[in-house]
Amino acid sequence: MKYRFTFAASILGLMASLSASPEELTLPGGKHLSKKARLGQKLFFDTNLSTPPGQACSSCHDPATAFSDPNKSQPTSNGALKTLKGNRNAPTAAYAAYTPPFHYDPILRLFVGGQFLDGRAPTLKEQAKGPFLNPLEMANPDKQTVVNKVREAEYAWMFDEVFGPGSLDNTRKAYDRIAAAIAAFERSPVFARFDSKYDYYLKGKVKLTPQEMRGLVIFESEEKGNCAACHPSRPSANGTPPLFTDHTYDNLGVPKNPNNPFYALPPTLNPDGPAFVDLGLGKRVGKFWEDGKLKVPTLRNIALTAPYMHNGYFSTLRSVVDFYNTRDVRPTCWNELVPEADAQRLGCWPAPEVKQNVNGDELGNLRLSDREVDDLVAFLKTLTDGYRPE
């Protein structure tokens, strides 16, 4: 049987279903969303829930780009106020439901799990509360404003159906229920399809091309890419397909991005100006030995989620792999604010944004040839959802 990649067609069908009425809304495979997830879907796509209106969760987590920011021309996302930009590249929301709650693992001696790149929200529900009140995102002044908007929405009746009569009367409880509904939608199979070419390969239903197979060997080999050390590529013990993340935190030595618009924001929003340094996990837990560490992302749909890294420094997937391969081989650029294109042209890499705690054991000098880099990129492209039989 022949297979082909039909992500665009699959997404069109998915988006058509998402715009349907709750009674008509179904997922790929014929499974119906729960009432709570249907309500969450309404909230997720509602552009009236920002101040001013125009910004929804889906604005930065678009299903057409695997629930990442659809605007690939800038490193960080727009907010409801178009003159303001976030300080980080919005990560994909796909497969986020599989992230464990934020915690410290005493055996691994590592922080694990949590939402956002620094783990500051312990769970998916708590994460859903953040963007509504972030001045760089949906910019609402308080919870009351959000709840008032929801009370006036055409789907407000669904809250009583899901949570019981008077479910929006109390602002604190209503805000909590808004987040719970969004989290229910994000836990649905819409966000975790597990239907990439690699998934079919694991089931024995399709073969990888010779180049993709070489890339898989490089990905898993401890003597080559060793990518699977942080991005496990095999099903878990309970049978869950690979998530391509171990949910830990790492400082990869990524340079500052001179094109990050956050540097130019007013002092009330960025008091450090161009000197701003993203300390990631270190700031969240208050420990300097965690400075610069950010959550290991899933690699599922990685071909669709450019730009890459927390500050959007890399514009292409190949550049990311090239950086992993040569970070410690190339000379350091004369200036820490050298854009990616110039660094590639000059054959150097700028110094890391956070110079301490950089992972020098698992990347930096992989000794991959140009062909091996291309092979690895080819394998990563097999992780895109929507691979279907003809």
Side-chain angles (χ1 to χ4, degrees), residues 318 321-322 325 368-378:
R318 195 186 192 286
V321 177
D322 189 30
N325 188 38
L368 302 180
S369 67
D370 285 344
R371 193 186 89 155
E372 288 174 321
V373 170
D374 290 335
D375 292 346
L376 188 49
V377 171

Side-chain angles (χ1 to χ4, degrees), residues 30-211:
K31 295 182 179 179
H32 291 266
L33 288 174
S34 68
K35 290 181 179 180
K36 184 186 285 189
R38 289 177 184 176
L39 174 56
Q41 177 255 320
K42 292 287 188 180
L43 292 159
F44 192 88
F45 289 93
D46 190 347
T47 57
N48 292 317
L49 301 185
S50 64
T51 302
Q55 185 91 349
C57 302
S58 60
S59 300
C60 297
H61 301 285
D62 192 323
T65 50
F67 295 100
S68 67
D69 194 322
N71 187 346
K72 306 303 180 183
S73 63
Q74 60 187 32
T76 64
S77 299
N78 292 322
L81 299 170
K82 302 306 180 185
T83 57
L84 302 181
K85 315 286 183 182
N87 65 315
R88 288 180 180 157
N89 175 25
T92 175
Y95 300 93
Y98 286 85
T99 304
F102 185 80
H103 66 283
Y104 181 77
D105 188 315
I107 298 176
L108 296 175
R109 297 183 179 181
L110 295 172
F111 287 96
V112 181
Q115 303 293 332
F116 293 113
L117 292 177
D118 56 9
R120 67 183 183 274
T123 65
L124 202 59
K125 176 182 170 181
E126 291 304 308
Q127 186 279 329
K129 297 178 181 180
F132 287 120
L133 305 182
N134 189 320
L136 301 181
E137 296 183 53
M138 299 178 80
N140 292 294
D142 49 44
K143 296 178 182 179
Q144 185 70 61
T145 300
V146 180
V147 173
N148 287 343
K149 290 172 180 285
V150 171
R151 286 171 181 163
E152 297 173 359
E154 53 85 19
Y155 53 82
W157 61 271
M158 296 175 69
F159 276 87
D160 285 355
E161 186 176 80
V162 172
F163 297 104
S167 58
L168 292 176
D169 292 349
N170 179 282
T171 295
R172 180 184 61 80
K173 292 181 179 179
Y175 194 75
D176 194 68
R177 288 162 179 157
I178 289 168
I182 293 172
F185 179 52
E186 292 180 324
R187 284 193 293 267
S188 76
V190 173
F191 286 77
R193 298 172 59 183
F194 294 112
D195 61 354
S196 68
K197 184 177 184 180
Y198 185 67
D199 290 301
Y200 280 92
Y201 164 78
L202 289 178
K203 295 175 183 177
K205 295 183 177 181
V206 67
K207 292 182 179 180
L208 301 182
T209 68
Q211 184 181 35

